[in-house]
Amino acid sequence: MGATLRDVAREARVSTATVSRVINGRGNVTHETRARILGVVERLRYVPDSVARSLSTGLTHTIGVLLPDLHGEFFSEIIRGIDQAARRRGLHLLLSGIHGSAAEAALAIRALKGRVDGLLIMSPYADSAFLADHSADDTPAVLMNSPVRGNSHSSFCLDNRGGARAMVRHLAGVGHRRIAFIAGPRDNFDATERLAGYCEAMAELGPDLKELVLHGDFSEESGYRAAQRILALDERTDAVFAANDMMALGCLHAFNEARVSVPGDVALAGFDDIPMARFVSPPLSTVRVPMAELGARALDGIAAAASAPAATPNFTEIVATELVVRASCGAGLRDPGGESDARRGQRAPVV
Amino acid sequence: MGATLRDVAREARVSTATVSRVINGRGNVTHETRARILGVVERLRYVPDSVARSLSTGLTHTIGVLLPDLHGEFFSEIIRGIDQAARRRGLHLLLSGIHGSAAEAALAIRALKGRVDGLLIMSPYADSAFLADHSADDTPAVLMNSPVRGNSHSSFCLDNRGGARAMVRHLAGVGHRRIAFIAGPRDNFDATERLAGYCEAMAELGPDLKELVLHGDFSEESGYRAAQRILALDERTDAVFAANDMMALGCLHAFNEARVSVPGDVALAGFDDIPMARFVSPPLSTVRVPMAELGARALDGIAAAASAPAATPNFTEIVATELVVRASCGAGLRDPGGESDARRGQRAPVV
DNA sequence: ACTAGCGATGTAACCGGTTGCCTGATCGTT
DNA sequence: AACGATCAGGCAACCGGTTACATCGCTAGT
C-alpha cells in the first residue's frame, strides 16, 4: 500500500488539511511548511488516490464512452478524436463497447454511475427516452450519431443525409441515370439516413432517374452479394452507390470477377472514405465522414456539459461530410491506374 | 443527486449494513426484509456509487490501458481484443494515449493511481526500470510489446523477430538474393526487432545474399521515399521488405509511378497485414500480427495478476506471427489481378 | 430451566481525501 | 495600548459505501 495523506501529515507534523492544500496548490501555506511537506511527499513517494479524491469532490475528470462496436477504422478514428480532445482538457476516458442488446447498454450505463462526469454515447438504443430511463439524471450525456427524439440531450450527428444527396447529385451530374443503392442494416441510424438521402435526391432530380434499392449489412460480403444480384438483373445499371465503403469494395470484387469494368461499364461509389478507398483500383469515390472530428466535437460538448450542467442548453449539431470524387464514379477521370487521383487523398506521399 | 444507500436504509427502516448486504447478495437477510429493501431501491432508483464502493473495497474492476498512439488499424485491433477480454471478465477499461515523452507517460501512470486495479502498457519508455520508478508498487502492470529488462513485470510480445526471419527466408526461398529492408523508427521496439530478424536471417542464409537497410518511420511517405532511393541505386534490388505495411504501400506507389512492375521487376513484402494489404494490386505479401489476440492475452494476464497479485509469477509470453504469402512477393503466383489470391485472406466474400 | 449456538440486524469505524469554520498569531492603525 | 484585519494552520464533518463486531431473539440440546 502506498503512503496516504495522513502518513505525510504525520511525518511533516502538520494536519491533513495543510498537506491537502499544498498538494492542490491552494495558498495560505508558508514557504517553509510547503517545502517540508513536499520533502516528505517525495520521500514517501506519495501519490494522491484518485478514487478518494473523486469521492469527496464529486468530480472524476473522466468521461464514459459507449460505442456499439470497436471494429474497424470507423471507430478507431472516433476514439482517436475523442482521446485528443480529452487530453487537451485533461480528462480520462472510460471505454466500453456495447455489443449486445439494449439491456446490456443499460447495464453498462449503471455500472458507470459515479465513475464518470459525463457520458458520450453512440448506440442504436440510445434515444432520449432510453437515457431518461437508465441514466442517472445527474450524469449529463451527449449522443453521437443516434436517433434523437425530444431534446433532453445534446447530440452530434454526421450529415449522412446531405452526404448521400451530394453523391447522388454528383452521379446524376456526370450522366448516370439508373443509380442503384445498397443500403445498410435497417436498424442502423447512419444507414437509414443515408438511404433517406439517396431517396430524397433521386426524387428531387426528376422522374427520368431510376431508383433501385438493395439491402446489405455494411459487410464486404453483403456488398459482394448485392453486386451479384445487380449483375443478374435484366436492366442495365449505370451506377452503384453503396451505403459504406466496405460494401462498395465487395461490389468491386464482384465486378472484377465478372469482368465488368469500373467505371467503364458501371460507376461505383461508397461512403466513409476509409483509408483503403484510395488504394483500390480504381480509387473509390466516396463521401468522407470526419470521424475524428465528430469524436472531438462530441467530447468538447460533453466536457462543457459536465463542467457546467445547468448552463449548457441542449442542441443538435450536424457535422458536415465531404464528397470525395475519385476514379470509380467515372467522373471524366479516366486514368485507370488512378495514380494522379490518388494524390488528391490525404496523406499522399510528398515527393 | 441520486439516492444513496442511507436514503434507502431510512426508507426501508433498516440499517445501511442490511441494505449493503442485499445489494451485494450476501445472505443472512429475511426474504421479507430483502423484498422491502428491493422495493425501495426500485422506487428511489437507487444505483450504488462505484467510486464510493471502490474506496472502501480497494477494488475498481478497471484496467488502465496506455497506448503510445491511437492511430490506425494496429491499435484499434489491440483495443478491440482488450475490450472483448475485459468484457468477459466484467472489467472496465480506462484508456489513455501517451503521445509524447516519458514524462507524459509517467504523469499518466500517476494520474491512474487508485483508479485502476492494473495497468496494461505499451510504450517505448515502459521498461521495468521506468515502471519501478513511476508506478505504484501496489498496482500490477504488464507490458505489451515493450523492451523488457529484468523480470519485475510480465510481458506479452509479438514474435517480430521470428516473423521477419520467416519472411526473409521465404523471399530467399523463391530466389531473391538482393533483399532490401526498410526499417522503422530506431527507438521503436517492434521496428528494431523486425530489423534484427531481417539481419539474422540474412546472415544465416549465407553470404550470397545482399543486405541493404534503409530507414523509414513507419509512414507511407517514408516508404515512398525509401523506394525512390532504392530505384536510384546502381545495383538492381530483387526484393524490398518493409518493416510495416504502410511503408510497403508507399513503396508500391513509388514503383507504380516509376513503371516498375511488382512483382515482375521487384518483389515487395510488408509487415502487419493491415486490411488494406489484400486489396491493393498486387495483393501484398506480409506477416500477420494478431493484434486482437495480443490484446486479449495481455488483458487476461493483467486480470490474473490484479486478482491474485502474489500468486502470479512474472513471465514473458511470445505471441506468434504468421507469414501471409500473396502475389506481391512473386512467389510463383503471377496472377496480376490478384483475384484468386485475395480469396485467401480472411473475410473474403463467400460466393 | 438454562445456555450454547445460530440467524437477522444494528453500530460504528474505516477507506483517503476535501473543505468550511475556527483559532491564534502577527501586523498595521489610530 | 487597544482593536480589527490578515494569514497560517488545525479540527472535524463529510463524500457513500463496506464490514468486523456486537446485539438480540429464538431454538435445540442436556
Side-chain angles (χ1 to χ4, degrees), chain A residues 1-3 45-52 54-55 59-62 69-73 75-77 79-80 83-84 87 92-99 104 108 110-116 132-135 137-138 220-221 224-225 228 246 249-250 252-253 256-257 259 275-281 339 342-343 346-351, chain B residues 1-3 45-52 54-55 59-62 69-73 75-77 79-80 83-84 87 92-99 104 108 110-116 132-135 137-138 220-221 224-225 228 246 249-250 252-253 256-257 259 275-281 339 342-343 346-351:
Chain A
M1 201 61 223
R45 304 174 133 267
Y46 167 72
V47 178
D49 183 300
S50 320
V51 162
S54 290
L55 181 60
L59 256 36
T60 64
H61 300 290
T62 302
D69 186 14
L70 263 16
H71 215 109
E73 296 289 340
F75 294 102
S76 79
E77 277 296 287
I79 293 175
R80 193 170 63 86
D83 176 69
Q84 278 181 346
R87 173 159 309 275
H92 295 273
L93 256 31
L94 201 39
L95 184 66
S96 201
I98 31 181
H99 304 90
E104 194 189 341
R110 344 202 101 193
L112 259 35
K113 158 81 185 277
R115 244 183 240 287
V116 300
D133 271 6
H134 298 286
S135 157
D137 318 326
D138 52 343
E220 183 193 341
E221 184 189 329
Y224 180 89
R225 285 197 300 236
Q228 289 183 321
M246 284 312 287
L249 293 179
L252 191 55
H253 269 280
N256 281 343
E257 275 189 11
R259 308 277 175 229
M276 227 182 290
R278 29 180 223 108
F279 281 96
V280 293
S281 173
E339 279 308 315
R343 314 310 284 281
Q346 57 189 354
R347 294 198 300 144
V350 174
V351 191
Chain B
M1 201 63 223
R45 305 173 134 268
Y46 168 71
V47 179
D49 183 301
S50 320
V51 162
S54 291
L55 181 59
L59 255 37
T60 64
H61 299 290
T62 302
D69 186 14
L70 264 16
H71 217 108
E73 293 291 338
F75 295 102
S76 79
E77 277 297 286
I79 293 176
R80 193 169 62 86
D83 176 68
Q84 278 181 346
R87 174 159 308 276
H92 295 273
L93 255 32
L94 201 39
L95 183 67
S96 201
I98 31 181
H99 304 89
E104 196 190 340
R110 342 202 103 192
L112 260 34
K113 159 80 186 279
R115 244 182 240 289
V116 299
D133 271 7
H134 299 286
S135 156
D137 318 325
D138 52 342
E220 184 193 340
E221 184 189 328
Y224 179 88
R225 286 196 299 234
Q228 288 183 320
M246 284 312 286
L249 293 179
L252 191 56
H253 269 279
N256 281 342
E257 274 189 9
R259 306 280 173 228
M276 227 182 292
R278 31 178 222 107
F279 282 96
V280 293
S281 171
E339 279 308 315
R343 313 312 285 281
Q346 56 189 353
R347 292 199 301 144
V350 174
V351 190

Side-chain angles (χ1 to χ4, degrees), chain A residues 66-68 98 100-102 105 121-127 130 143-147 187 189:
Chain A
L66 301 184
L67 296 178
I98 31 181
S101 56
I121 304 178
M122 179 187 283
S123 156
Y125 315 109
D127 58 19
F130 176 82
L143 271 26
M144 290 183 296
N145 246 30
S146 300
D187 58 357
F189 183 64

